[in-house]
Amino acid sequence: MKNQRWLSISFLTFFFTWGIFLPYWTGWLTIEKGLSVPAASIIMGVGMIARSFSNFLVFPYLTARSSYIHVIKWTSILSLILLIFYIPDSPYIVLFIITVLFSAVYPIILPAVESGASVLMQKERVHYGKSRSFGSIGYTVALLVVGAATAIWNEQAILYLMIIGLLIAVVFFSRPGPIVLQRIPDRSSVQKTGVKALFATRGFLVVMVLGILLQGAHASYYNFGFIYLDDLNVNGFYIGIILNVAVLFEILFFTQADRLLSKVRISTMFLIAAIGSTVRWVLVFLVPTASMFIGTQMLHAASFGIAHYAFIQYISVKLPHSQIAAAQGFYAAFAMSLSTAILTFPAGFLYEVSPGTAFLGMTVCSVPAIIIVLTTRKKFAY
């Protein structure tokens, strides 16, 4: 029970800050720091690239030499220190350096907590879903709190809420955690073998490409959703509520996914996700209103939820145990980070042309995903 509670609070504290950083940081840079949308996009894009490489290279290096508890604790402390450097007025180059460093350090907390969860599941039989739901709650609360705070004060509240959230995280993660997570994990040679053999596994490359395309297609939404609604003159409080709609549909989907998709082919899941993603971005482009944006939020369950679930199902069913960790590493680095980072650059320039065009541009990922599924599902039988 104690370890279950520790894991739940860990997810809650991290995802509260993630619910501030992910949807609001680009908007905060443009509104409070005076950057143009392309300039902010460059900073966030490079930051996401740094995040992908730190998750793929730095995180395994740290956990091979220290315990999960120490990695979580010290990355939280360093993240808080970097965050404080945002307070003074700074030129563009300083903001660039701070953001890239922060983006490289802060997201390491998540794979460290996720890996700790895997260990606790194996050793202590904790319930992952129960604890992970607290992460979704934290993200939801963050969106509501930021929306209310920016409506009462101004967008500068975003920075101070982030500082408060990370300060709480530092205090919590500085306390003794589960004993099993205080030991240096055993990195067996089996895992390394899994990395080498991973791309030789039938169908993995196709599934990885689909994951990269469909998760990358959220670049405009993650970076400009807040700015887009602000440009439509939506009150800051209601922006938080609107962004929460997607999270609520995501939570609802995951609670029912095992029942609804138990007999659905993985390729069909990817096809549904790709079609849902395409419809979502086309509608935002065609009908540039807050009402349409709200309506398309329910498609987040398809564009993100089903795509993510399909990948997890694939590696759980098709890959041997020795390759699962490597597959997760590739997915976290390239699908959840690097693809979004790369697409942030053109999306920023498209947003300057027309806000809706930035969303329509994401179909450059979703439409090819439809084609890939239709042309490979029989050959690779996934």
Side-chain angles (χ1 to χ4, degrees):
M1 179 62 69
K2 182 179 179 181
N3 290 337
Q4 185 84 59
R5 184 166 55 250
W6 179 90
L7 186 60
S8 298
I9 298 175
S10 297
F11 278 125
L12 179 69
T13 52
F14 173 81
F15 275 99
F16 177 81
T17 60
W18 196 238
I20 300 171
F21 181 73
L22 190 62
Y24 288 108
W25 215 247
T26 303
W28 178 76
L29 287 172
T30 60
I31 296 170
E32 285 299 314
K33 293 300 184 180
L35 301 183
S36 66
V37 172
S41 300
I42 290 172
I43 288 181
M44 295 302 292
V46 174
M48 287 182 205
I49 293 173
R51 166 182 148 196
S52 67
F53 280 100
S54 67
N55 280 339
F56 187 59
L57 299 174
V58 178
F59 170 64
Y61 177 85
L62 292 176
T63 53
R65 289 159 178 79
S66 185
S67 68
Y68 289 123
I69 292 294
H70 278 93
V71 171
I72 296 169
K73 172 185 174 182
W74 288 107
T75 50
S76 300
I77 292 173
L78 183 55
S79 298
L80 179 60
I81 293 172
L82 288 169
L83 203 61
I84 292 172
F85 283 103
Y86 274 116
I87 295 177
D89 289 332
S90 304
Y92 179 82
I93 186 62
V94 174
L95 290 173
F96 182 93
I97 293 171
I98 295 171
T99 304
V100 172
L101 289 175
F102 183 76
S103 298
V105 174
Y106 161 68
I108 289 177
I109 299 171
L110 181 56
V113 173
E114 290 277 14
S115 298
S118 297
V119 173
L120 291 173
M121 289 167 65
Q122 294 174 356
K123 305 291 185 180
E124 306 292 337
R125 299 185 181 277
V126 302
H127 298 285
Y128 176 82
K130 180 179 179 181
S131 291
R132 181 58 180 80
S133 66
F134 278 82
S136 299
I137 293 171
Y139 193 94
T140 301
V141 170
L143 292 176
L144 292 174
V145 170
V146 172
T150 54
I152 296 172
W153 294 291
N154 55 42
E155 279 70 18
Q156 186 63 19
I158 294 171
L159 173 62
Y160 292 108
L161 285 172
M162 188 70 177
I163 291 174
I164 292 170
L166 267 179
L167 181 60
I168 293 171
V170 168
V171 171
F172 175 72
F173 290 131
S174 295
R175 300 172 59 190
I179 295 175
V180 69
L181 300 185
Q182 296 178 24
R183 306 171 188 143
I184 298 177
D186 178 25
R187 301 299 184 198
S188 66
S189 58
V190 175
Q191 182 174 326
K192 295 180 180 179
T193 303
V195 173
K196 294 178 181 179
L198 187 58
F199 281 91
T201 303
R202 180 178 173 83
F204 177 77
L205 180 59
V206 173
V207 170
M208 190 70 227
V209 169
L210 290 171
I212 290 171
L213 289 173
L214 292 175
Q215 296 304 337
H218 293 83
S220 290
Y221 174 72
Y222 290 148
N223 285 284
F224 309 120
F226 169 69
I227 300 174
Y228 179 77
L229 291 170
D230 187 68
D231 287 343
L232 291 175
N233 297 316
V234 178
N235 181 278
F237 175 74
Y238 294 112
I239 290 177
I241 295 176
I242 292 171
L243 293 177
N244 246 329
V245 173
V247 183
L248 293 175
F249 273 96
E250 175 188 322
I251 295 171
L252 180 63
F253 163 73
F254 281 124
T255 60
Q256 302 296 321
D258 290 330
R259 181 178 63 85
L260 295 175
L261 302 176
S262 60
K263 297 181 180 180
V264 178
R265 289 179 60 184
I266 291 169
S267 59
T268 301
M269 296 182 206
F270 276 121
L271 184 60
I272 294 171
I275 293 173
S277 180
T278 302
V279 171
R280 184 182 187 184
W281 310 132
V282 169
L283 286 175
V284 172
F285 169 74
L286 291 176
V287 188
T289 65
S291 298
M292 178 55 73
F293 191 90
I294 295 169
T296 59
Q297 287 289 76
M298 69 179 66
L299 289 172
H300 194 72
S303 64
F304 170 78
I306 296 179
H308 181 72
Y309 185 83
F311 183 85
I312 298 302
Q313 280 293 100
Y314 174 84
I315 65 173
S316 299
V317 174
K318 301 290 186 179
L319 298 185
H321 179 75
S322 61
Q323 294 179 351
I324 288 178
Q328 287 279 16
F330 277 110
Y331 182 69
F334 295 100
M336 302 299 285
S337 299
L338 192 59
S339 62
T340 305
I342 293 173
L343 287 165
T344 296
F345 297 110
F349 289 100
L350 286 174
Y351 195 91
E352 286 289 282
V353 175
S354 158
T357 305
F359 292 94
L360 181 65
M362 295 300 98
T363 60
V364 74
C365 292
S366 60
V367 172
I370 294 174
I371 297 171
I372 290 172
V373 173
L374 293 176
T375 55
T376 62
R377 61 189 309 185
K378 290 183 179 180
K379 179 179 179 180
F380 294 104
Y382 63 98

